Amino acid sequence: MESYSYKNGALYAEQVPLSTLAARHGTPAFVYSRAAIEANWRAYAQAFAGRDALICYAVKANSNLAILNLMARLGSGFDIVSVGELERVLRAGGAADKVVFSGVGKHAHEIRRALEVGIKCFNVESEPELLRINEIAAQLSVTAPVSIRVNPDTDAHTHPFISTGRKEDKFGISHGQVLAAYRLAERLECVVPVGIDCHIGSQVTSLEPYIDALEKLLTLAEDLERHGIPIGHVDIGGGLGIDYHCGNLIRAGAPRSQAGSGDDTATVPDVTAFAEVLRDRVPARYHLMLEPGRSIVGNAGVLLTRVEYLKTTHTRHFAIVDASMNDLLRPSLYQAWHDIIPVTARADEREMDYDVVGPVCETGDFLGLQRPLALRPDDLLAVLSAGAYGFCMSSNYNSRPRAVELLVDDACAHVIRERETPEQLMAGEYMPEFADAMGNL
Ligand code: LLP
């Protein structure tokens, strides 16, 4: 989180004080650093320099048009899982022929649109899907490029909800059935196999699961070649984890590389180490593809929130803030950890352990529990590592408008999505005029 630092006790995003953003745009607010996002994408590009590789940013991690536009300008490809994401990519200036379409439940209209705009590849997750793609391609008189998503039965050692490559998971085609799926693809007239892919999970913090999955994928690719089915690309999916414990480093002003990763995480492998695994193992004849999301935007963003009330009960100190589970669902859904740090450092005040909770009427609505903080009402807090799976998973629960999104570029801050209004919250809802309405009164 190099783009976030304290200057004279005030937390900045690049050259902009977060307190200025809160004063101008209100809270809760998602703030992203352009420099961080671009640096994270370029780290991938550099790690694969000289190698025939395409980085397909996983749109689901953060699908704001401005973020997608940054990716498009860098020449990124995109991994999508819905036609909504496809339309966003196109609107943001992304190239259709650099789009891969993943997901277990592609609807017919989504497949049709993807074929019409000419995407690079469908990552196919079942035989019925293959048949459906073939049928729609035939109707459009085109040939659909496909890759079979292999379920390698690899445990990525991450939260079970975001583990996707074990045999009990709904994703992909089990590796024992992959050959049959490619044979079916060969027989169908309007699909052509162009690659092989997998995705084993998200927030993966060691390289071993990738090595395991990759070996299975490469063995399959060779088998397929022996059966006369040549494979053009190998797509290893996304999933490289990030460090969710950067708070101490920011507070200490320490350079990122000199410090450990906080209290309870293993160090997360960096992109160079990840690239080395792929470069060493995947033969050069294969075009290499990846689908990173979190590792590009996660640590480039924070959720800025204001303390509404401080409340002390017999057993707890609560900091009730204006952001909640509807803004950042990860702590409630996955018991995920996000560091929470003050926007204005109070060096000489005594810290207490606070449960940082939101206004939503659920006990599961918290951003962090038992966090040592020195707080006063109206203080601003930054919930770190909120750039990925933050805004895009937010909801209107409790009829709360979704937060404003801001993109900081050096000393400038741009609104990239306005805070929702009450009017927008109710848009598209109707109260029918029932014929019997009067009679019932
Ligand atoms: N490719 C596919 C096919 C995926 O399903 C995903 C994420 C990615 C790529 C990107 O993975 P990443 O590099 O971002 O780890 N909401 C959860 C994460 C769900 C990830 C689902 N798939 C969270 O907040 O942790």
Side-chain angles (χ1 to χ4, degrees):
M1 300 207 64
E2 291 86 346
S3 294
Y4 297 87
S5 60
Y6 284 101
K7 294 175 192 163
N8 297 323
L11 186 58
Y12 278 62
E14 300 192 22
Q15 303 309 320
V16 182
L18 289 180
S19 56
T20 306
L21 294 180
R24 211 169 280 161
H25 304 283
T27 51
F30 282 91
V31 181
Y32 313 115
S33 152
R34 174 184 175 187
I37 293 170
E38 292 185 341
N40 291 338
W41 190 92
R42 286 204 174 96
Y44 274 102
Q46 275 154 18
F48 289 97
R51 174 74 209 235
D52 177 21
L54 180 65
I55 298 145
C56 294
Y57 168 67
V59 174
K60 65 171 79 64
N62 186 324
S63 50
N64 183 289
L65 289 178
I67 308 285
L68 299 181
N69 180 246
L70 291 182
M71 298 293 150
R73 285 164 187 256
L74 288 164
S76 185
F78 297 89
D79 167 58
I80 60 159
V81 289
S82 70
V83 78
E85 289 189 350
L86 176 58
E87 299 303 349
R88 284 181 171 276
V89 167
L90 298 175
R91 176 79 60 88
D97 62 0
K98 289 185 181 173
V99 169
V100 295
F101 193 167
S102 306
V104 294
K106 299 176 192 78
H107 197 283
H109 77 86
E110 297 184 303
I111 294 170
R112 187 165 300 115
R113 177 72 175 140
L115 285 170
E116 278 166 4
V117 301
I119 66 163
K120 182 177 173 70
C121 187
F122 290 88
N123 289 345
V124 175
E125 309 225 13
S126 65
E127 289 198 358
E129 181 190 330
L130 201 52
L131 295 171
R132 183 180 274 185
I133 294 174
N134 181 62
E135 198 184 307
I136 298 167
Q139 288 161 8
L140 296 175
S141 307
V142 295
T143 307
V146 297
S147 155
I148 300 295
R149 174 168 172 179
V150 178
N151 181 321
D153 193 20
T154 296
D155 189 347
H157 301 294
T158 182
H159 191 284
F161 289 6
I162 53 174
S163 211
T164 54
R166 304 164 305 174
K167 61 177 181 305
E168 61 270 32
D169 299 329
K170 69 177 173 182
F171 299 98
I173 294 183
S174 112
H175 68 287
Q177 299 171 327
V178 166
L179 184 56
Y182 276 98
R183 284 211 160 122
L184 171 62
E186 282 271 289
R187 285 199 304 277
L188 296 173
E189 239 172 62
C190 294
V191 298
V192 56
V194 293
I196 189 163
D197 71 283
C198 74
H199 172 71
I200 55 174
S202 199
Q203 185 56 10
V204 182
T205 55
S206 76
L207 294 174
E208 282 70 31
Y210 282 110
I211 295 171
D212 181 65
L214 198 55
E215 277 166 5
K216 289 173 180 162
L217 230 58
L218 291 172
T219 308
L220 281 169
E222 280 163 19
D223 269 7
L224 289 168
E225 279 163 357
R226 266 197 300 277
H227 284 85
I229 305 173
I231 290 301
H233 73 244
V234 172
D235 176 352
I236 191 67
L240 193 60
I242 59 167
D243 184 357
Y244 276 95
H245 297 262
C246 299
N248 283 340
L249 305 178
I250 296 176
R251 287 175 102 162
R256 175 80 172 74
S257 56
Q258 284 175 17
S261 64
D263 47 24
D264 64 358
T265 41
T267 44
V268 179
D270 65 16
V271 169
T272 319
F274 180 49
E276 229 165 74
V277 162
L278 298 178
R279 295 181 77 124
D280 287 354
R281 285 171 178 77
V282 182
R285 66 176 183 281
Y286 297 121
H287 174 54
L288 201 51
M289 287 166 57
L290 307 96
E291 304 163 3
R294 188 192 310 266
S295 47
I296 291 182
V297 287
N299 271 335
V302 304
L303 172 60
L304 187 57
T305 183
R306 193 179 286 282
V307 175
E308 294 283 346
Y309 305 102
L310 296 176
K311 172 161 119 174
T312 297
T313 65
H314 287 305
T315 54
R316 285 280 191 287
H317 300 294
F318 290 105
I320 301 162
V321 299
D322 62 5
S324 77
M325 66 190 285
N326 81 289
D327 300 297
L328 183 65
L329 184 59
R330 303 193 71 258
S332 304
L333 187 58
Y334 315 113
Q335 291 72 52
W337 178 280
H338 285 258
D339 272 356
I340 301 176
I341 62 174
V343 167
T344 306
R346 296 196 195 287
D348 41 2
E349 285 186 27
R350 196 166 72 87
E351 290 183 339
M352 294 195 295
D353 287 340
Y354 282 101
D355 283 2
V356 181
V357 301
V360 161
C361 300
E362 299 217 18
T363 301
D365 175 26
F366 59 87
L367 299 174
L369 302 176
Q370 298 295 291
R371 303 304 179 88
L373 291 160
L375 291 180
R376 294 184 203 164
D378 278 342
D379 273 359
L380 290 166
L381 291 170
V383 183
L384 304 184
S385 313
Y389 306 112
F391 181 89
C392 56
M393 290 178 75
S394 66
S395 75
N396 292 125
Y397 187 39
N398 279 203
S399 287
R400 288 170 49 83
R402 280 179 294 173
V404 64
E405 289 182 287
L406 306 165
L407 181 65
V408 171
D409 178 23
D410 196 40
C412 282
H414 304 272
V415 175
I416 58 170
R417 193 181 202 278
E418 290 169 5
R419 185 182 308 288
E420 277 173 340
T421 61
E423 212 39 58
Q424 286 171 320
L425 281 182
M426 292 179 275
E429 291 184 36
Y430 302 97
M431 293 180 281
E433 288 186 15
F434 301 111
D436 62 344
M438 296 309 286
N440 283 347
L441 283 176

